[in-house]
């Protein structure tokens, strides 16, 4: 019991020594509350995150612990609480602060927001995700690449990562009607990526995005939809110089019953391109053609052969534009193959007259991620 009392006394003395805003604040006890009632929730939302929470957050996500091989751990900057507070402050917070300025101390400085960092972080995450998706699935149509990038680093994914990081109520945003919590979380995560790029290097920012975003498993199959997969497959096989695809019935059961089932395979010569099933031959052929096209578009580069263009950026290069270009090297980088894009067919104009031309997408559509 004596040890517990001593521990409690040490905890209380530590808490009393920590800087914190007084509660209730002076404005809650002033005469002005008779005209404008004091709102505790608004007052709490206007307070900056505690310094201890900011240090704990940086340690939890290993913000300044080097994730690059052969590099020592770097010391956090002296103004870590200040830059993290800026990264967690949405631009809409200034409007909320101005509306309730009378409830705050007149000496309180206007905080800096993460507006610029959010834009920079969004561009960096898009760069890293786009090159990863294109190098991993070189045959993906352009629309599907965009949908996959959104699935990897989109607003919903950023909000999920923020919750996994344990941000809680640390992000500061304005009115919930104008800015949702998801937007505030996404803005804060993008700013953390930009902060890593600015205070460390582009290599560290890339490692952060790969560790928390691109390491996730995303099923790309639901993103690909075909209006007429049979015709798309015929044009695709023709573009590759293969034999015309032929549908063959592989198995069937219950043809004369109320619930028949057919299994159809699509062949190009002796090679089976895809297989599908259905309660009718037409449905089974449709699914078989879809399966064949997805096998082509979702052909993935083996992980040990995957190389990315940003791997040529030196981890010690400065974030200043064009500085340290002599340190960047192509050593260890091998450009991946340029995949075959999807076939365009069925476009009628004066020149084409409905004939397929080129390998640009119009058939494939992407469903929202």
């Amino acid at each position: 019991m004596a040890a517990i009392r001593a521990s409690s006394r040490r905890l209380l003395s530590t808490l009393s020594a920590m800087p914190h805003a007084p509660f209730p604040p002076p404005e809650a006890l002033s005469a002005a509350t008779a005209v404008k009632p004091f709102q505790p929730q608004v007052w709490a939302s206007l307070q900056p995150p505690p310094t201890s929470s900011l240090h704990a957050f940086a340690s939890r996500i290993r913000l300044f612990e080097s994730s690059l091989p052969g590099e020592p751990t770097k010391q956090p900057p002296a103004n870590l609480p200040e830059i993290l507070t800026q990264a967690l402050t949405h631009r809409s917070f200034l409007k909320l602060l101005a509306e309730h300025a009378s409830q705050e101390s007149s000496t309180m400085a206007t905080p800096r927001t993460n507006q610029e960092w959010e834009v920079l972080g969004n561009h960096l995450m898009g760069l890293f995700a786009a090159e990863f998706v294109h190098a991993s699935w070189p045959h993906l149509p352009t629309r599907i690449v965009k949908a996959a990038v959104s699935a990897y680093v989109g607003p919903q994914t950023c909000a999920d990562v923020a919750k996994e990081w344990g941000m809680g109520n640390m992000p500061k945003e304005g009115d919930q009607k104008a800015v949702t919590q998801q937007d505030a979380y996404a803005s804060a995560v993008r700013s953390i990526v930009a902060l890593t790029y600015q205070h460390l290097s582009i290599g560290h920012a890339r490692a952060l995005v790969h560790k928390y975003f691109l390491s996730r498993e995303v099923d790309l199959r639901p993103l690909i939809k075909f209006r007429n997969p049979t015709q798309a497959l015929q044009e695709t096989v023709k573009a590759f110089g293969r034999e015309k695809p032929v549908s063959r019935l592989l198995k069937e059961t219950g043809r004369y019953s109320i619930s028949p089932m057919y299994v159809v395979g699509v062949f190009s010569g002796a090679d089976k391109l895809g297989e599908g099933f259905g309660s009718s031959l037409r449905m089974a052929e449709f699914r078989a053609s879809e399966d064949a096209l997805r096998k082509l578009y979702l052909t993935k580069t083996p992980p040990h052969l995957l190389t990315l263009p940003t791997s040529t950026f030196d981890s010690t290069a400065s974030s200043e534009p064009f500085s340290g270009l002599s340190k960047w090297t192509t050593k260890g980088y091998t450009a991946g193959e340029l995949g075959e894009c999807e076939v365009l067919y069925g476009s009628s104009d004066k020149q084409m007259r409905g004939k397929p031309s080129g390998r640009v997408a119009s058939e494939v559509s992407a469903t929202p991620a």
Side-chain angles (χ1 to χ4, degrees):
M1 293 298 293
I4 296 177
R5 293 193 188 96
S7 177
S8 300
R9 285 195 297 269
R10 286 195 299 270
L11 178 60
L12 290 175
S13 62
T14 303
L15 292 176
S16 61
M18 294 176 59
H20 62 279
F23 188 86
E27 53 267 25
L29 306 176
S30 64
T33 55
V35 179
K36 187 175 183 180
F38 175 71
Q39 302 177 10
Q41 293 182 348
V42 174
W43 178 86
S45 65
L46 296 178
Q47 305 307 310
T51 303
S52 58
S53 299
L54 296 174
H55 282 285
F57 172 73
S59 177
R60 185 162 57 247
I61 67 174
R62 302 178 181 271
L63 185 57
F64 286 92
E65 294 185 17
S66 177
S67 55
L68 301 179
E71 286 197 3
T73 302
K74 297 186 178 182
Q75 293 296 328
N79 61 340
L80 177 63
E82 178 183 348
I83 61 178
L84 277 181
T85 301
Q86 179 182 352
L88 297 172
T89 303
H90 193 267
R91 59 183 179 274
S92 62
F93 178 71
L94 297 181
K95 183 178 180 181
L96 179 67
L97 185 63
E99 292 176 354
H100 301 275
S102 59
Q103 297 186 17
E104 286 294 295
S105 173
S106 58
T107 59
M108 182 177 179
T110 302
R112 302 178 64 181
T113 66
N114 61 4
Q115 184 174 3
E116 295 181 356
W117 279 354
E118 179 185 4
V119 175
L120 175 60
N122 186 42
H123 283 77
L124 287 172
M125 295 174 71
L127 167 66
F128 300 142
E131 68 168 2
F132 174 79
V133 172
H134 185 269
S136 298
W137 296 277
H139 302 291
L140 269 186
T142 304
R143 294 181 182 180
I144 312 304
V145 170
K146 294 180 180 179
V149 169
S150 178
Y152 271 109
V153 296
Q156 182 61 54
T157 307
C158 289
D160 293 340
V161 171
K163 295 176 182 178
E164 293 175 5
W165 285 353
M167 280 191 179
N169 296 325
M170 286 194 292
K172 298 298 180 181
E173 72 275 5
D175 189 1
Q176 293 288 342
K177 296 180 181 179
V179 180
T180 63
Q181 189 181 48
Q182 175 179 318
D183 294 335
Y185 276 151
S187 174
V189 170
R190 292 164 181 160
S191 301
I192 294 296
V193 175
L195 182 154
T196 305
Y197 166 72
Q198 183 172 352
H199 289 270
L200 293 176
S201 69
I202 191 172
H204 289 83
R206 175 175 171 270
L208 179 70
V209 174
H210 275 261
K211 179 178 180 181
Y212 291 106
F213 292 90
L214 303 182
S215 60
R216 297 167 176 260
E217 292 292 335
V218 176
D219 188 8
L220 301 182
R221 290 175 297 177
L223 301 180
I224 307 178
K225 298 294 182 181
F226 300 94
R227 290 189 294 270
N228 191 341
T230 302
Q231 185 177 358
L233 180 62
Q234 291 177 358
E235 299 296 342
T236 303
V237 170
K238 181 180 179 181
F240 279 90
R242 302 288 298 274
E243 296 184 25
K244 183 178 180 179
V246 178
S247 300
R248 298 173 183 171
L249 180 62
L250 302 180
K251 297 179 182 178
E252 66 170 298
T253 181
R255 177 185 286 263
Y256 300 106
S257 67
I258 195 173
S259 55
M261 185 62 62
Y262 303 92
V263 178
V264 172
V266 179
F267 293 82
S268 175
D271 300 328
K272 185 170 74 171
L273 304 180
E275 183 178 310
F277 67 94
S279 57
S280 66
L281 290 173
R282 186 174 182 179
M283 180 186 297
E285 183 180 8
F286 184 95
R287 290 177 175 174
S289 300
E290 272 192 334
D291 181 53
L293 289 171
R294 284 174 177 164
K295 285 181 178 179
L296 168 64
Y297 293 144
L298 297 179
T299 300
K300 190 172 183 179
T301 304
H304 65 280
L305 298 178
L306 183 64
T307 55
L308 303 175
T310 55
S311 62
T312 61
F313 295 167
D314 188 82
S315 61
T316 60
S318 171
S319 59
E320 294 296 329
F322 306 111
S323 63
L325 288 178
S326 59
K327 296 182 179 180
W328 296 356
T329 175
T330 57
K331 181 180 180 181
Y333 171 71
T334 303
E337 65 170 319
L338 293 178
E340 297 288 346
C341 295
E342 64 276 24
V343 175
L344 173 66
Y345 66 91
S347 66
S348 300
D349 55 26
K350 295 180 180 180
Q351 289 76 23
M352 301 310 303
R353 302 185 183 278
K355 297 181 181 180
S357 173
R359 298 181 183 180
V360 185
S362 73
E363 159 64 18
V364 184
S365 59
T367 57

